Amino acid sequence: MTAPLLRLDDLRASVSDGHGERKQVLHGVNLTVAAGEMHVLMGPNGSGKSSLAALLAGREGCEADGGAAQMDGEDILALAPEERAARGLFLAFQYPVEIAGLSLTVFLREIYNRRREREGEAALDPMSFMRVLREEMAALSMDPALTRRAVNAGFSGGEKKRLEVLQMALLRPRLALMDETDSGLDVDALRIVSDAINRHRDGGRGFLLITHYSRLLAGLDPAPDYIHIFDGGRIVRSGGADLARRLEEHGYGALSEVA
Amino acid sequence: MARITELLSLSESAPREAREMVLPSASLEGWRWSGLRRALPATPFAATDGSTGTVTAPKLSNVFSSMTETVLVDGHLAGDNNGGDVDGRRHINSDSDGDGNGRRHIKGDNNGGAVRRHINTVMDNNGGDVDGHRHVKGDSDGDGGGSRHINILRDDKSETFETVARNGEETPFPALARTLATHPLQITVKGEIKTPHSIRLVGTSANTAAHHSLNTELEKNASLHCVITSEAANNAARLVNSDCRFHLREGARLRLLILENEAAQCFRTSRIHFTLAANARAETFLITRGGAFQRLEIETDLADNGAEFHIGGAHALSPERQGEIALRVRHLAGDTLSRNRFRAAVGANATHNFQGRIEIIPGADNAAAEMESKSLLMDESAKSRSKPELEIFHDNVACSHGVAVSPADADVLFYLRSRGIPLADAERLTVSAFLRQIFPAEHNDEFTESAKSRVESFAGMVTETETVKGQSS
Ligand SMILES: Nc1ncnc2c1ncn2[C@@H]1O[C@H](COP(=O)(O)OP(=O)(O)OP(=O)(O)O)[C@@H](O)[C@H]1O
Ligand SMILES: [Mg+2]
């Protein structure tokens, strides 16, 4: 029996508020994502969804207090963020970071070539990489002029989200955590992003999407395998695709009691 | 005459006096220097006779695809620029027009006996023939060195030495550099010099002092690209002290790149003085790693209407290093512009000081000045102090300044690492992105690009602990 792609057991975690106080944000999360599956987390603001993503990606200040998180059977909590990325974990940030002075092209080439080298392929020279980049950007209807800017510098909300998807396309992660990648997108962009996710799906990859809206889910094909309602730092209910629709009709209040 | 005597006696007594002088503390108060006395080792640095130096694997060479070079090893004018040892054959190859037949006036100094020589280079662009306008004059007889050297000072019309010294504001170091420089360089530029000229100050011998003096005159409408590199061929302790002057006459253009890659044990003192006449324009990038102690004094006089001064300074301070900038820009006429932008990335236990003063005199109508100093602390033990000062005595001017000191952005580092970039590389990228802010966005010519590539190569060193060898006890 092979270990699942991601397995969370009674995961508890707290964040530091920067003033020496800690606040518990995850209260026992249980979740298994097998290769090929797509899971969706929906839940009220402040329920801890981004904290879960941050913990899995390795953000400093967000620490496990108990339980376990394993990727392919390996404890990932002990790994540095870059080591998790090297194992195929990717987080599309809810709030992508602006990095003044760092050329977007240089940054993307760096992460792309690192991925290639990890996978035993030769790094691409700048010219060849530009061709790859132009193609991937065209698929996301991104303005090629963005490559001349610094990472996220002056990007609109939608441009930032597309850049996260572009990085996913370049890094080809085995496990993609996508934190509200659909928020702030116009209808066209929404379709572009769901198409990109569809292209990326195959039997070897897993997804954990965090979203507030069923709009994104409508464009996903095949449909997500599981919808989980997240509240108070844990999963309170799980179901199929119809759970998202019921949620939009009835709200979290009616569905949040632990089933 | 009195002045010459004064200077001659200064050359004898100055090293001792500098050592015995009661210097101010590290406090930034007042327009003064800080911290050097505390940092100086007990064993004095001695001058070398120039016989020992060997230039090996110069780190900063080949900055441009083609350039002419002057190399000084341990303060002595060296021979060729391709790593050969320093023998009696010294030359400056001043190929000012890039036409290939520019190897000219190789006038050696073979006796090696004179302590001081005055190297006088005239660059112009009027063809390849060897004529009187283009020469390097070595002091081959060995007897005239002293007096020629004094001539440089006496000829200096700006009288900066006297004025500043009288105000008690100049450190003794520029005076020492001018007095003790083994090979003071005098460069006169006529017309447009397309090939960049490189002046390399290389240090090779431990526990030595090298004094450098450079006087560059750009005649009316002349233009020059110049690179001054100061680098250590090994990691030995030494004192490198320089005084550089750039005098730009009307309409002259200077692009200057100063690169310093000194050893961790280096004491680096440097003064750069710019005088800009009407419509002259100087653009300078300064990229440095600091040292055991480093102080850079930059003084600029915008002497006439339309003069423009642009400087971008980047400090990449490795752990334990120190780097300090004292900037003074004087707007002495109307319609003058200065943009002064500095960044410092500071490693563990490293210290950075910035003191910048903009002066705008009464009547300097439409003068515009910007000054900015930002520091990025790469460790909790890193220190940075910035002190901007504005002295504005006229109403119709535009003046802005800003200072900021902040730690490395944890969100940025996490973002980069989450993409598979290891911490050390993420820090390097962060530092480099920060330091690159000294470059104007629209600039991507070869000059700027070569400066940018230096920032890249220094950026990774800010968080790297250095192994120090050849330390004086
Ligand atoms: N660094 C921090 N300091 C203090 N509180 C924090 C910190 N990070 C997160 N929290 C708190 O933890 C709780 C969970 O936040 P989190 O961002 O995980 O919520 P979320 O479910 O992603 O919400 P949203 O839907 O609004 O994005 C919130 O109450 C938030 O204020
Ligand atoms: Mg969130």
Side-chain angles (χ1 to χ4, degrees), chain B residues 311-329:
Chain B
I311 185 165
H315 257 115
L317 295 178
S318 301
E320 313 288 337
R321 288 192 177 220
Q322 200 263 12
E324 176 168 303
I325 286 182
L327 169 83
R328 176 161 69 165
V329 179

Side-chain angles (χ1 to χ4, degrees), chain A residues 9-259:
Chain A
D9 284 308
D10 195 29
L11 191 57
R12 294 158 189 278
S14 55
V15 293
S16 72
D17 65 355
H19 307 285
E21 295 286 305
R22 298 202 67 83
K23 174 183 171 175
Q24 194 170 352
V25 286
L26 299 183
H27 295 266
V29 181
N30 292 291
L31 178 70
T32 301
V33 179
E37 288 181 353
M38 176 179 279
H39 292 242
V40 177
L41 279 189
M42 302 180 83
N45 295 134
S47 57
K49 306 179 297 299
S50 293
S51 302
L52 174 62
L55 178 71
L56 295 180
R59 182 196 289 273
E60 220 173 291
C62 186
E63 277 161 37
D65 302 319
Q70 296 179 326
M71 220 177 134
D72 304 314
E74 183 186 16
D75 173 18
I76 55 166
L77 297 176
L79 300 175
E82 57 269 29
E83 295 170 322
R84 304 181 199 198
R87 283 161 178 71
L89 180 82
F90 176 81
L91 169 62
F93 282 56
Q94 180 177 4
Y95 303 110
V97 181
E98 179 178 330
I99 312 177
L102 177 56
S103 145
L104 179 60
T105 310
V106 169
F107 165 67
L108 293 176
R109 191 172 66 225
E110 172 113 14
I111 65 175
Y112 180 76
N113 278 335
R114 276 177 192 278
R115 195 267 294 159
R116 284 180 67 98
E117 283 170 355
R118 278 198 302 270
E119 295 174 2
E121 297 171 65
L124 290 193
D125 62 86
M127 293 284 279
S128 316
F129 173 73
M130 268 329 272
R131 277 195 291 276
V132 172
L133 182 58
R134 280 207 201 90
E135 232 168 77
E136 295 288 355
M137 289 181 80
L140 292 167
S141 298
M142 292 178 76
D143 181 358
L146 291 176
T147 56
R148 289 201 291 273
R149 296 217 216 142
V151 178
N152 282 315
F155 282 33
S156 76
E159 286 167 342
K160 285 182 183 168
K161 294 300 173 82
R162 281 187 228 203
L163 178 56
E164 296 296 293
V165 178
L166 175 65
Q167 292 176 60
M168 183 187 78
L170 293 172
L171 291 175
R172 302 194 201 155
R174 289 172 49 243
L175 176 64
L177 314 175
M178 307 191 78
D179 193 355
E180 296 197 29
T181 305
D182 55 335
S183 295
L185 292 182
D186 63 43
V187 282
D188 291 343
L190 203 58
R191 189 179 36 74
I192 289 162
V193 166
S194 49
D195 285 351
I197 295 173
N198 291 338
R199 277 199 301 280
H200 196 62
R201 281 185 78 177
D202 69 30
R205 303 178 200 283
F207 283 85
L208 183 59
L209 305 185
I210 296 169
T211 184
H212 287 295
Y213 310 104
S214 60
R215 286 182 320 184
L216 173 73
L217 309 183
L220 295 176
D221 181 24
D225 301 286
Y226 299 95
I227 309 286
H228 307 281
I229 295 177
F230 203 83
D231 203 0
R234 63 204 161 124
I235 291 171
V236 293
R237 178 179 279 231
S238 299
D242 61 309
L243 186 57
R245 277 189 297 279
R246 280 197 281 142
L247 186 63
E248 274 201 349
E249 279 168 35
H250 305 292
Y252 288 115
L255 295 171
S256 280
E257 306 85 49
V258 184

Side-chain angles (χ1 to χ4, degrees), chain B residues 94-418:
Chain B
S94 148
D95 177 10
S96 53
D97 51 9
D99 64 3
N101 66 351
R103 288 191 148 258
R104 47 189 87 97
H105 46 253
I106 301 177
K107 196 165 169 193
D109 165 10
N110 300 324
N111 61 13
V115 182
R116 261 165 236 142
R117 292 159 201 100
H118 172 186
I119 310 304
N120 187 7
T121 307
V122 178
M123 296 171 140
D124 64 20
N125 62 350
N126 53 9
D129 59 343
V130 181
D131 60 25
H133 291 297
R134 209 174 286 172
H135 60 276
V136 177
K137 232 170 22 183
D139 173 16
S140 45
D141 58 15
D143 65 9
S147 72
R148 271 184 213 180
H149 176 72
I150 294 300
N151 278 342
I152 294 182
L153 291 176
R154 196 169 50 192
D155 289 345
D156 178 19
K157 293 181 187 66
S158 66
E159 297 293 350
T160 315
F161 172 75
E162 277 197 342
T163 340
V164 179
R166 205 182 295 129
N167 293 343
E169 289 178 333
E170 191 185 56
T171 67
F173 281 84
L176 280 180
R178 293 192 294 271
T179 312
L180 301 181
T182 318
H183 288 99
L185 301 176
Q186 167 81 37
I187 296 177
T188 306
V189 181
K190 302 173 178 189
E192 188 185 359
I193 306 295
K194 292 213 176 72
T195 311
H197 188 71
S198 158
I199 295 165
R200 286 175 48 204
L201 315 177
V202 184
T204 63
S205 311
N207 299 319
T208 55
H211 297 274
H212 301 281
S213 166
L214 167 67
N215 195 19
T216 304
E217 298 265 344
L218 277 77
E219 301 207 335
K220 189 173 174 182
N221 296 325
S223 133
L224 176 72
H225 285 40
C226 184
V227 189
I228 302 177
T229 57
S230 163
E231 61 192 309
N234 56 40
N235 208 357
R238 68 176 70 82
L239 170 71
V240 183
N241 174 35
S242 61
D243 179 63
C244 298
R245 298 158 183 226
F246 292 88
H247 192 165
L248 280 71
R249 297 191 193 282
E250 195 181 336
R253 294 273 182 276
L254 171 70
R255 297 193 80 183
L256 176 64
L257 174 55
I258 296 171
L259 300 171
E260 292 191 358
N261 188 14
E262 289 293 353
Q265 294 301 293
C266 184
F267 292 81
R268 180 79 175 100
T269 46
S270 165
R271 176 172 172 279
I272 309 161
H273 187 274
F274 299 89
T275 307
L276 282 78
N279 299 316
R281 181 189 155 104
E283 184 182 16
T284 298
F285 295 126
L286 166 67
I287 298 158
T288 171
R289 300 185 58 210
F293 177 93
Q294 177 210 41
R295 179 178 169 91
L296 275 156
E297 296 172 14
I298 302 156
E299 281 198 51
T300 301
D301 289 332
L302 298 166
D304 215 333
N305 290 57
E308 267 187 40
F309 179 67
H310 299 254
I311 185 165
H315 257 115
L317 295 178
S318 301
E320 313 288 337
R321 288 192 177 220
Q322 200 263 12
E324 176 168 303
I325 286 182
L327 169 83
R328 176 161 69 165
V329 179
R330 286 187 287 207
H331 289 254
L332 303 171
D335 296 312
T336 46
L337 171 72
S338 75
R339 286 186 207 282
N340 310 278
R341 187 181 282 197
F342 294 87
R343 294 289 183 276
V346 192
N349 293 309
T351 306
H352 166 254
N353 295 322
F354 174 83
Q355 190 172 25
R357 184 159 84 181
I358 305 274
E359 298 172 17
I360 300 181
I361 63 157
D365 216 36
N366 281 323
E370 288 171 19
M371 178 166 62
E372 199 179 78
S373 168
K374 291 188 183 172
S375 306
L376 181 66
L377 306 182
M378 296 305 290
D379 190 274
E380 282 173 7
S381 61
K383 280 196 272 310
S384 174
R385 291 171 289 197
S386 286
K387 187 179 180 221
E389 300 168 305
L390 300 178
E391 288 193 6
I392 298 168
F393 298 103
H394 191 76
D395 283 340
N396 186 23
V397 299
C399 208
S400 70
H401 72 90
V403 299
V405 177
S406 54
D409 189 334
D411 290 339
V412 168
L413 289 175
F414 174 58
Y415 191 80
L416 295 170
R417 296 176 77 187
S418 78

Side-chain angles (χ1 to χ4, degrees), chain B residues 394-451:
Chain B
H394 191 76
D395 283 340
N396 186 23
V397 299
C399 208
S400 70
H401 72 90
V403 299
V405 177
S406 54
D409 189 334
D411 290 339
V412 168
L413 289 175
F414 174 58
Y415 191 80
L416 295 170
R417 296 176 77 187
S418 78
R419 270 44 176 153
I421 299 174
L423 177 61
D425 292 302
E427 286 177 331
R428 173 179 55 79
L429 286 172
T430 309
V431 167
S432 142
F434 178 76
L435 296 179
R436 286 172 70 119
Q437 293 172 12
I438 65 165
F439 300 108
E442 66 277 12
H443 284 213
N444 51 11
D445 52 284
E446 191 193 12
F447 194 83
T448 313
E449 289 305 318
S450 73

